Amino acid sequence: MSIEIRDTAKNFGDFVALADINLSIPSGGLTALLGPSGGGKSTLLRIIAGLETPDSGTVEIDGVDATNVPAQRRGVGFVFQHYAAFKHMSVAKNVAFGLEIRKQPKDEIAQRVADMLKLVHLSQFADRLPSQLSGGQRQRMALARALAIEPKVLLLDEPFGALDAKVRKELRDWLRRLHDEVHVTTVFVTHDQEEALEVADNIVVINNGRVEQVGTPDDLYDNPANEFVLSFLGPITTLGGAAIRPHDIEVVSPTVPDVVTGEIVRITRIGFEVRVVVQPFDTAGRPVDDQVTVTLTRSEARELGLTAGQRIGLRPREGSLIPAR
C-alpha cells in the first residue's frame, strides 16, 4: 500500500511543523523518517495515521484520499514509543483488543491472537500482564497488537527509543526480519542514524519541517544532497578545506607529495576503532585550519605505530571526497 503526501503543511500557532511536504512512500517497503528532535517527523507520521489534520495538502493511502478519513477507518496500525498497553489486561487480551472492538467472531480472534504471539515469539507469555514483561517484550506485544488487525500500513513512532542500547539493537534486527516476513508497508520515526541506516529500505531526512533528501541508505551516506544531510548521517571532518568521512582518510609519511602534513594531538581507542586527532600545518610549518579526526582500525593503527606528537601525512582515499553541492 503506497502513501502519497502532497503539498502538506501543518502549523502549531506560530511554529511551522511541516512546510509543503511532497513525498512518495513505496508499497511494501520499510521507510525511516529521520531527523533531529522537533524537525517534524512525528507530526508527519501522525498526519499519515489520522491523529493530526494537516492545515493544507492531501494524504493518499493506496490511491485513496485519506486526508479527512478518521484514524480508525484508515487501516493503519500505530505503535507508540511507550507501548500504550492496557495494564489490567493480559498480553493475549492486549493483542485481541483491536479485533474485539471490530466485533470479529471469538474463534477467529483466538486464532489470530495465537498467530500473532507466535510471530513475535511471545506465545509462552500470553497470560502474563504487561508489567511482567521486559521492555523489549512489551514492545513486541505492541507490534503484535498493531499487526493483529491486518493494517494496510504499520506506523512506528520512535519504537525503541525507551530501551537500552543492547535491546534496541536486538529489536531492530528483529523488526527487519519481521518486516521481511509480513511485507506490510512500514514507516518508522527515529533520530538514531545507525538505526535508520541498518533497518530501512529508504530514508526520508526531515529538518525544520522540510524534506532534505530521500533515498536508500547508501544513496544518502555516499551522495548527501547538502551539508545538513552530510553532517547528520555519520561523522565528518575537514581535510584541506573539503568535507570527508574520518574513515576515508589515509595516514602516510609526511614526505609523500601532495599530502596534508600535521602532528598527532591525541589517540583514543574505542573498541575496535582508533581515533586520531591531527593538527594540520601549512608549508611553513604553522598550524592551520581545524583539527582533523582520522578513524583507523586497531590493526591499522598498530601497523603504523602511531604516537602523540608524531608528524604524519594525510590524504583522502581514492573517490572518498564528498563533492560540493
Side-chain angles (χ1 to χ4, degrees):
M1 301 290 178
S2 61
I3 303 170
E4 294 288 336
I5 299 158
R6 297 192 178 97
D7 302 318
T8 296
K10 180 67 176 179
N11 296 344
F12 295 101
D14 295 333
F15 175 69
V16 179
L18 296 173
D20 297 323
I21 298 292
N22 287 279
L23 179 64
S24 296
I25 296 174
S27 178
L30 206 167
T31 299
L33 304 182
L34 175 67
S37 297
K41 54 192 186 297
S42 289
T43 299
L44 179 57
L45 195 78
R46 291 175 66 83
I47 284 174
I48 295 171
L51 301 176
E52 295 282 357
T53 303
D55 296 333
S56 60
T58 60
V59 176
E60 289 186 5
I61 299 177
D62 197 28
V64 177
D65 188 348
T67 312
N68 297 308
V69 175
Q72 62 269 26
R73 291 176 50 205
R74 291 195 183 194
V76 169
F78 203 105
V79 178
F80 298 91
Q81 178 176 340
H82 294 288
Y83 328 119
F86 297 105
K87 297 179 181 179
H88 65 288
M89 292 184 182
S90 68
V91 170
K93 278 290 189 180
N94 266 277
V95 175
F97 180 78
L99 301 170
E100 289 175 346
I101 63 173
R102 287 166 173 78
K103 302 188 183 304
Q104 294 194 9
K106 288 186 178 182
D107 57 341
E108 291 183 13
I109 292 174
Q111 185 59 55
R112 182 65 178 166
V113 169
D115 290 344
M116 289 297 97
L117 291 179
K118 181 178 179 181
L119 181 68
V120 300
H121 306 124
L122 290 177
S123 298
Q124 67 272 39
F125 303 118
D127 296 325
R128 291 193 183 182
L129 293 173
S131 61
Q132 296 173 305
L133 302 180
S134 69
Q137 289 168 340
R138 286 197 294 270
Q139 196 58 285
R140 298 208 311 264
M141 179 195 70
L143 282 163
R145 184 178 57 195
L147 289 169
I149 62 171
E150 299 182 87
K152 298 177 184 177
V153 175
L154 179 62
L155 306 177
L156 305 99
D157 192 2
E158 299 272 11
F160 311 135
L163 304 171
D164 64 55
K166 184 176 185 296
V167 176
R168 279 205 310 272
K169 176 70 169 69
E170 291 172 353
L171 275 183
R172 65 186 186 226
D173 290 345
W174 175 82
L175 176 63
R176 181 68 252 185
R177 293 194 302 271
L178 176 68
H179 180 268
D180 291 341
E181 287 186 45
V182 298
H183 297 296
V184 64
T185 301
T186 302
V187 184
F188 73 100
V189 162
T190 183
H191 62 267
D192 186 322
Q193 299 93 328
E194 182 179 338
E195 186 168 282
L197 290 168
E198 185 175 332
V199 175
D201 299 315
N202 288 283
I203 299 174
V204 181
V205 180
I206 300 177
N207 183 42
N208 290 330
R210 291 175 169 81
V211 173
E212 300 282 356
Q213 189 174 359
V214 181
T216 66
D218 285 349
D219 288 340
L220 270 61
Y221 194 87
D222 295 333
N223 300 293
N226 53 45
E227 187 174 342
F228 175 81
V229 178
L230 167 62
S231 61
F232 198 74
L233 275 172
I236 60 167
T237 192
T238 303
L239 181 65
I244 188 171
R245 304 288 185 195
H247 58 260
D248 283 330
I249 298 175
E250 186 178 6
V251 177
V252 296
S253 167
T255 61
V256 172
D258 301 321
V259 298
V260 174
T261 60
E263 180 179 295
I264 296 176
V265 176
R266 184 171 60 258
I267 300 175
T268 307
R269 179 187 166 194
I270 303 175
F272 67 93
E273 287 186 352
V274 175
R275 294 180 188 173
V276 182
V277 178
V278 180
Q279 174 59 62
F281 297 113
D282 62 16
T283 54
R286 294 170 300 203
V288 294
D289 301 328
D290 294 331
Q291 293 179 342
V292 180
T293 300
V294 184
T295 301
L296 304 171
T297 65
R298 188 180 176 191
S299 59
E300 285 175 328
R302 280 179 172 175
E303 185 176 339
L304 291 165
L306 303 179
T307 58
Q310 180 180 350
R311 290 290 182 100
I312 59 173
L314 303 175
R315 65 184 179 191
R317 300 183 192 275
E318 186 175 352
S320 61
L321 283 177
I322 298 167
R325 293 269 180 160

